[in-house]
Amino acid sequence: MEFGWNADDLEFRADLNEFLSEELSGRWHGSTAVLGSPENADYSRRFCGLLADRGWLTPHWPKEHGGVEASPWRLSILSEELWSRGEPRGPQYMNVNWIGPSLMAYGTSEQMARYLPPISRGEVIWCQGFSESEAGSDLASLRTNAVLDGSEYIVNGSKLWTSYADLADHCYLLVRTGDGRQEGISVLLIDMDRPGIEVRKISGVVGEHSFNEVLISDLRVPVANRLGPENGGWKVVREALSYERVGAPRWARASRVLNETMQWALENGRAPSPDVLESVDIASEACEAARLLYYRVIDERAQGKPPTPNGNVARVAMVQAERAVAEACLAIQGAEVMRYQGLANQQIRKSLAAGVAAGTYEIQLNLISRLLLRLPKG
Ligand SMILES: Cc1cc2nc3c(=O)[nH]c(=O)nc-3n(C[C@H](O)[C@H](O)[C@H](O)COP(=O)(O)OP(=O)(O)OC[C@H]3O[C@@H](n4cnc5c(N)ncnc54)[C@H](O)[C@@H]3O)c2cc1C
């Protein structure tokens, strides 16, 4: 297959790189940034505002919702360049990738009018309230429940590992509204400053995130804040997750880390042994494989196809690339990687997170075996 960028896309990438070099220099800590810190959340609002002014924050969205109807390839260029620099959009990458599209697919006109404009202007932070202590991989066993009381739901329960909950304006919250497993789940759009929500910080081993526990007691949520049908949230969230899984082109950052770590070795007089070179080759090939499998998903989107299990394949390939680059960094720097607080050190931690967030590596493999290979459930 012949693959190449057209002249418009090349020009766009060049303009974007020029803007990023100017804007990020001295203001952004790049790939070692702690995405969930308050400073970076503030920077995310400034930076996303600047992208929005240029029509670069939600370029793939319809004009009526603040986009310019650009092709998914345009978004892919943006995501590659931003992700490889440590994602200066911060938490707002989720708004652009899947929260906004989910609102457009299932929201009422009132919900779209309220929530989409602030997203497309880069002003608002959302968090994702899915996981609970007994509902991670087995998300459908979630217990946070919402009971109807007139025109409001009363919500009680707790969420775990909620990134950015301490900074967020809104939460895309999964709740139980019925008895069935998948059939008893609904999505509620929550304002985080309402009485009944307590956010407790959790320190995380990965270092890149601020994790939180969100305790919810007698939170009142208008029925008008439900996204999609009551007890129909599983379909809504499955679709949203399929966008989230390939929203972050992790191979782009991994590939940059690999190049920079090799550069570090050369500058520090480390002649790489054959074993090191072999691990660098493996990592480099893993990044390239992930890039092409990711492009296959973008191509499906560009053709207007619904999400397919190729998204799970791309996610698995991205995790493999992250891990292979982490191993290559360890091979290049040896024990020094532990002291070196730079990209390689971060890479090892990020590769751990990559195989857990947005559905674990093993769960992606399960989905591929069931949905793509049609193997029986074990
Ligand atoms: C960086 C990061 C950010 C996150 N942000 C958020 C967030 O914003 N909001 C949110 O709701 N959650 C978030 N999470 C949580 C994440 O979604 C969960 O950690 C993940 O779904 C796994 O759930 P768990 O931790 O309960 O592990 P478990 O589900 O208990 O899994 C433990 C292990 O068992 C394996 N396993 C489980 N079931 C199976 C199976 N059927 N077949 C094979 N293996 C299996 C898993 O692969 C894993 O290795 C985040 C996690 C990370 C690392």
Side-chain angles (χ1 to χ4, degrees):
M1 183 180 75
E2 195 66 41
F3 177 82
W5 296 99
N6 66 32
D8 277 357
D9 285 336
L10 290 172
E11 194 184 330
F12 170 68
R13 197 187 286 267
D15 289 349
L16 176 65
N17 276 325
E18 195 182 324
F19 162 74
L20 293 176
S21 305
E22 219 167 274
E23 168 55 29
L24 299 183
S25 143
R27 292 199 185 90
W28 173 247
H29 310 296
S31 295
T32 57
V34 179
L35 283 184
S37 72
E39 300 76 39
N40 286 329
D42 283 350
Y43 183 69
S44 149
R45 290 184 207 258
R46 173 195 149 83
F47 179 76
C48 288
L50 293 175
L51 285 184
D53 291 345
R54 287 163 175 74
W56 292 351
L57 184 62
T58 52
H60 55 309
W61 286 16
K63 286 187 183 139
E64 58 179 310
H65 298 311
V68 292
E69 296 178 7
S71 89
W73 291 108
R74 192 53 67 92
L75 178 68
S76 158
I77 294 173
L78 260 166
S79 299
E80 281 171 35
E81 296 300 336
L82 296 175
W83 196 259
S84 75
R85 287 167 170 84
E87 192 47 275
R89 285 176 299 184
Q92 293 194 55
Y93 83 92
M94 292 196 298
N95 301 358
V96 174
N97 287 345
W98 65 269
I99 292 176
S102 185
L103 287 164
M104 283 180 239
Y106 291 98
T108 60
S109 48
E110 289 78 14
Q111 287 169 343
M112 287 193 263
R114 176 174 175 206
Y115 296 117
L116 292 176
I119 292 183
S120 68
R121 291 194 300 265
E123 296 170 351
V124 72
I125 291 177
W126 282 76
C127 63
Q128 166 192 319
F130 292 3
S131 308
E132 299 179 4
S133 58
E134 302 301 323
S137 301
D138 185 15
L139 189 55
S141 64
L142 66 89
R143 285 198 228 154
T144 294
N145 76 325
V147 177
L148 204 53
D149 179 31
S151 61
E152 292 180 319
Y153 288 105
I154 303 178
V155 185
N156 282 286
S158 65
K159 294 287 167 179
L160 200 57
W161 313 124
T162 322
S163 311
Y164 320 118
D166 51 334
L167 309 162
D169 305 287
H170 305 293
C171 179
Y172 186 110
L173 186 77
L174 287 194
V175 293
R176 175 153 303 288
T177 42
D179 291 336
R181 265 171 58 84
Q182 298 174 353
E183 300 76 22
I185 289 173
S186 302
V187 178
L188 297 180
L189 307 171
I190 304 289
D191 294 338
M192 289 298 284
D193 61 358
R194 294 292 294 268
I197 301 181
E198 185 191 342
V199 177
R200 290 188 190 159
K201 264 185 131 18
I202 308 172
S203 22
V205 65
V206 287
E208 69 163 352
H209 264 80
S210 72
F211 288 119
N212 301 279
E213 184 177 16
V214 180
L215 306 174
I216 305 173
S217 77
D218 291 336
L219 170 70
R220 292 192 159 266
V221 182
V223 170
N225 282 31
R226 193 187 64 231
L227 182 67
E230 184 170 89
N231 296 329
W234 192 249
K235 182 170 184 287
V236 178
V237 81
R238 269 189 59 175
E239 207 172 293
L241 277 173
S242 71
Y243 283 102
E244 194 202 9
R245 277 174 193 140
V246 280
R250 290 176 166 271
W251 54 268
R253 183 183 173 283
S255 168
R256 185 165 85 91
V257 172
L258 187 63
N259 291 339
E260 292 197 5
T261 309
M262 273 305 274
Q263 189 62 32
W264 174 91
L266 294 175
E267 284 166 8
N268 286 277
R270 307 292 178 90
S273 67
D275 281 355
V276 169
L277 286 177
E278 191 186 346
S279 72
V280 170
D281 278 349
I282 290 171
S284 174
E285 281 159 16
C287 288
E288 184 60 3
R291 183 174 78 95
L292 295 175
L293 290 167
Y294 168 86
Y295 283 167
R296 179 165 68 174
V297 179
I298 305 298
D299 185 47
E300 286 176 352
R301 283 187 196 163
Q303 294 177 45
K305 293 186 180 165
T308 71
N310 287 334
N312 304 94
V313 175
R315 178 76 188 187
V316 161
M318 288 198 268
V319 175
Q320 285 175 348
E322 290 258 43
R323 289 176 178 172
V325 171
E327 273 177 33
C329 289
L330 196 54
I332 295 166
Q333 294 192 325
E336 222 165 315
V337 80
M338 302 311 289
R339 286 201 299 271
Y340 175 57
Q341 290 299 314
L343 286 177
N345 185 290
Q346 287 277 329
Q347 179 61 30
I348 290 170
R349 291 192 264 170
K350 279 181 192 282
S351 71
L352 295 175
V356 182
T360 67
Y361 183 78
E362 291 75 23
I363 293 300
Q364 305 301 328
L365 292 178
N366 284 354
L367 289 167
I368 291 167
S369 72
R370 195 155 49 82
L371 303 174
L372 193 67
L373 304 176
R374 309 269 173 211
L375 295 174
K377 216 172 171 182

